Amino acid sequence: MPTALAASDLPAGGVRRRAALAVVVVLLCGLVLGLAYANKARCAGAPFDRDGRSTVFDVIKDSDVCYSDIQFLWLGRDINEHVFPYVSGGITDGGALVGGAVEYPVLSGVLMWLGAVGAHNDADFLRYSALLLAPFALLTAWMLARLAGSAALLWAAGPPLVLYAFHNWELPVVCTAVGAVYVMSAPTRYSVRTRGILAAVLLGLGFCLKLYPGIFVLPLLAYVLTGGVDPKGRERGPDIRGALLTAAAAVGTVVAVNLPFALVGYEGWRASITFQQLRQADITTNSIWYWGLRPMFGPDARSETAFQHAVTVASPLLVLAAFALAMWLGWKRYLTIGVFPWVGVSGAMLCGFLLFHKVHSPQYTLWLVPFLVLLEVPWWLIGSYLVADAAIGIGVFRYFYSMGAGTSVEQMENIVQFGVWGRASLLVVLFFVFLWALPRGYRSASPPVARSDPRDLVPVV
């Protein structure tokens, strides 16, 4: 269903203002991306060692909070050797990736390889990767501005973009997720089924970048199945064929992208999955598991093994339970209003994933920001989340620096724990807020409609 007013819902003057605003948002986003790159580039530059690593990187990456996975992974994944990913790689018994294998899905691996073309050191790799990733952020800014108006400034000029734009390869996957919402919202001249199929393709591509957009396919299917929204308020029956075609589009996209890699180099392709399965909930994962559950176990190796086993079992079960709860509440909402709130349910499912997954890297905030833009989340709640996020995004690196320098860590550990638990509690709140939120700007721009008119239910997402 639409998550915001489409251009056809606005008067001519409103369309022109929305278009002008989109240009301003994109330009501002470009300036902020420049700041984001400058922030990370403080860790990169001559002199370099024989492997092309900036010698300053290990000295200031934590103290100056300029660390990025992009620069770090110049070494250790054969990126510096320009090895095409997956096709000749694998994973050792100790969990080390070798021969070009990387820990991310195949499209992210290809982007990593492309960013290294022509690079001779980690500074080149960071710069070329930033140039490769930036257009995705700009496109996301444009789509959000068209959908949600000035709220898109939260994406284009907010702290998360400065901190995380070039921390990892998140910008393309966020673009695919927002693109799916845009497709379902803007080109309303096409049927819900057609738009659902195209959105499913985009979510499938997102799955091949960083997995998480794949979870949005389920609420999208429910939306297509229930017929979406008819602007004229006509009753429509369940579209079983449309839902099946939408599911097939998502699955077909994932298979089409992954199959060539699996056939050419199965071990290298499978290594990325194995690596994530083996990853443990430790001090680097920023999750509630390490800070909340780990202290309940002893300090010895046997207790560590028991802790990791508990996380391996509990984390996926709780993630799935959160998904089921979001879908159930979304379905109850559908039975009440006649429209399945697929965007709100998607946002709630993402909250469940971020809360219970064993890894919660700081840059995952970029995944959440579009939902804060698209839906009417109170600004005080958004501000609170950004404060907690900054405590993690900045504090965790200062915490690592304090540990490495042998100085007192108590203050920085308190800041990190504030971020972990503040972020976790706010994710619980956002889980329910997303399910009942209206799209940004709908209240002020929509014409009055009788309460008995089904069009009054359109914006509930």
Side-chain angles (χ1 to χ4, degrees), residues 286-294 355-357 360 420-421 424:
N286 309 293
S287 69
I288 60 172
W289 299 107
Y290 177 80
W291 291 103
L293 187 62
R294 183 63 184 89
L355 180 62
F356 293 122
H357 188 49
H360 192 160
V420 169
W421 296 112

Side-chain angles (χ1 to χ4, degrees), residues 34-57:
L35 294 175
Y37 172 75
N39 177 48
K40 297 302 185 183
R42 291 181 297 127
C43 268
F48 304 97
D49 64 19
R50 63 181 183 179
D51 295 317
R53 167 70 77 210
S54 300
T55 56
V56 72
F57 178 72

Side-chain angles (χ1 to χ4, degrees), residues 224-227 235-239:
V224 175
L225 174 66
T226 54
E235 294 287 338
R236 287 194 276 189
D239 185 6

Side-chain angles (χ1 to χ4, degrees), residues 305-363:
T305 300
F307 163 67
Q308 296 298 340
H309 177 72
V311 173
T312 300
V313 174
S315 175
L317 288 178
L318 287 173
V319 168
L320 291 175
F323 289 175
L325 178 61
M327 288 296 296
W328 179 68
L329 291 174
W331 193 260
K332 288 178 65 68
R333 193 80 173 130
Y334 160 70
L335 294 177
T336 300
I337 66 176
V339 179
F340 188 84
W342 86 274
V343 175
V345 171
S346 296
M349 292 173 76
L350 179 59
C351 288
F353 178 83
L354 294 176
L355 180 62
F356 293 122
H357 188 49
K358 61 183 177 180
V359 179
H360 192 160
S361 297
Q363 72 271 13

Side-chain angles (χ1 to χ4, degrees), residues 227-237 453-455:
V229 176
D230 187 335
K232 297 182 179 180
R234 295 171 297 193
E235 294 287 338
R236 287 194 276 189
D453 193 324
R455 285 177 295 171

Side-chain angles (χ1 to χ4, degrees), residues 95-306:
L97 295 167
V98 296
V102 298
E103 56 264 53
Y104 305 120
V106 295
L107 290 184
S108 286
V110 171
L111 287 174
M112 294 167 72
W113 176 78
L114 287 172
V117 172
H120 302 290
N121 51 62
D122 60 357
D124 288 344
F125 182 48
L126 177 63
R127 180 168 58 256
Y128 298 159
S129 295
L131 291 172
L132 185 66
L133 297 174
F136 293 100
L138 297 172
L139 179 56
T140 300
W142 181 83
M143 290 187 291
L144 289 175
R146 297 292 289 174
L147 290 170
S150 59
L153 292 171
L154 177 63
W155 166 263
L161 199 64
V162 177
L163 290 173
Y164 312 127
F166 305 120
H167 187 92
N168 199 287
W169 291 267
E170 309 301 332
L171 297 178
V173 67
V174 175
C175 188
T176 62
V178 174
V181 177
Y182 185 83
V183 163
M184 294 303 295
S185 303
T188 53
R189 63 183 177 276
Y190 299 108
S191 68
V192 171
R193 179 190 295 182
T194 299
R195 286 179 280 146
I197 291 171
L198 182 54
V201 170
L202 290 171
L203 294 178
L205 292 174
F207 181 87
C208 297
L209 284 160
K210 282 296 183 74
L211 300 186
Y212 86 88
I215 66 179
F216 305 156
V217 173
L218 188 58
L220 176 63
L221 292 180
Y223 178 72
V224 175
L225 174 66
T226 54
V229 176
D230 187 335
K232 297 182 179 180
R234 295 171 297 193
E235 294 287 338
R236 287 194 276 189
D239 185 6
I240 298 175
R241 178 177 172 82
L244 291 175
L245 289 172
T246 301
V251 173
T253 300
V254 173
V255 171
V257 171
N258 282 272
L259 187 59
F261 291 90
L263 291 176
V264 174
Y266 178 78
E267 293 301 323
W269 173 80
R270 183 67 176 80
S272 64
I273 302 172
T274 304
F275 181 92
Q276 296 298 340
Q277 290 174 333
L278 294 175
R279 188 170 183 186
Q280 297 187 334
D282 56 28
I283 197 171
T284 68
T285 58
N286 309 293
S287 69
I288 60 172
W289 299 107
Y290 177 80
W291 291 103
L293 187 62
R294 183 63 184 89
M296 300 179 184
F297 291 76
D300 56 284
R302 179 176 295 182
S303 296
E304 174 66 17
T305 300

